Amino acid sequence: MSMSLDGYIADENDYLGGEDGERLHDWAKTGDLARELENEMGKAGAVLAGRRTAELMDHWGGSHNGAPIFVPSHRPPGPAARWGYPLVTYVNDGIASAMEQAKAAAGDREVQVRGGYTAQRALEAGVLDELRIHHIPVLLGRGRRMFDILPREIELEIIGVVDTPHATHIRYRVRK
C-alpha cells in the first residue's frame, strides 16, 4: 500500500494526490525496484480485495494477473462481477472466511490484500501476516487514512527496508 507520510492512501475522491491524481504511485514508475515489486505483486496466488477497491478497479478486469479475487461483502456483487468475472468471488460470511478461501485458492503462493479498510479488518481478525507500506515523501493533509480505526494496539516487526529517492519501502511482520 502506498501511503503519504501523514498516513493517507487516497484523497477524499479516491485519487492518489498530486495534479495528475497519481502522486502516491509515482515511485512505481521509476527504477528496478518498482519493476521488482510489480513482478512480486503479479505472483500472487489470490487477492483479497475490499469491495470499494475492487469496484474502483473494475475487479482488475476479472482477475488479478490470472489470480482469483475474493471480496468480503455483505451485499451481492454487481452485474460485471456476478456474471462476467468467474474468478471474482464475493464472500458474505466475513473476512476470516474470505481469507481462508483465498488461501485455499492460492495454494503455496501468497494472498495479497488490496484496500485499506480490508487490511484493517484482516488485522482485526488476526488473519494478516505481513504489511508492505510504501512511504511516500509527501504530506497530503486530507483524505482516506490507512489505519484510521483499529480495535487495539498491534505490534509489528520490521523485516525489510529499501530506501529510494521516491519512497521508503517497509515490510512488516504482524506479531501475533
Side-chain angles (χ1 to χ4, degrees):
M1 182 68 70
S2 295
M3 182 169 60
S4 67
L5 190 58
D6 52 349
Y8 293 99
I9 57 173
D11 69 15
E12 55 276 342
N13 297 311
D14 289 314
Y15 290 104
L16 305 175
E19 290 183 18
D20 66 354
E22 290 290 320
R23 175 63 181 96
L24 294 179
H25 284 177
D26 283 349
W27 69 268
K29 300 172 188 171
T30 61
D32 292 335
L33 178 63
R35 283 188 289 284
E36 180 182 319
L37 290 170
E38 189 174 309
N39 287 338
E40 188 175 312
M41 287 174 55
K43 293 178 183 177
V47 169
L48 179 65
R51 184 181 187 119
R52 177 185 190 83
T53 300
E55 288 178 348
L56 283 169
M57 299 303 296
D58 187 27
H59 301 84
W60 295 274
S63 77
H64 200 280
N65 297 317
I69 301 165
F70 294 85
V71 182
S73 179
H74 296 294
R75 295 179 289 129
R82 188 177 311 146
W83 296 300
Y85 297 151
L87 290 178
V88 175
T89 302
Y90 273 63
V91 179
N92 65 6
D93 59 345
I95 189 89
S97 176
M99 181 63 84
E100 184 178 317
Q101 291 177 52
K103 282 184 176 182
D108 61 349
R109 298 184 330 179
E110 68 182 25
V111 173
Q112 295 178 359
V113 176
R114 303 280 184 265
Y117 179 81
T118 300
Q120 288 178 39
R121 298 298 65 83
L123 280 167
E124 178 179 42
V127 297
L128 192 64
D129 299 323
E130 284 188 15
L131 287 169
R132 294 178 189 179
I133 305 293
H134 312 289
H135 279 259
I136 312 307
V138 66
L139 299 168
L140 292 182
R142 68 194 184 303
R144 300 185 184 282
R145 287 187 185 273
M146 175 68 183
F147 301 112
D148 240 3
I149 302 170
L150 292 173
R152 65 189 180 287
E153 186 174 300
I154 296 172
E155 291 289 335
L156 305 172
E157 173 186 352
I158 296 173
I159 56 176
V161 177
V162 177
D163 192 26
T164 71
H166 303 284
T168 300
H169 310 277
I170 307 174
R171 205 170 148 193
Y172 300 93
R173 179 176 294 120
V174 178
R175 289 187 179 164
K176 296 186 180 185

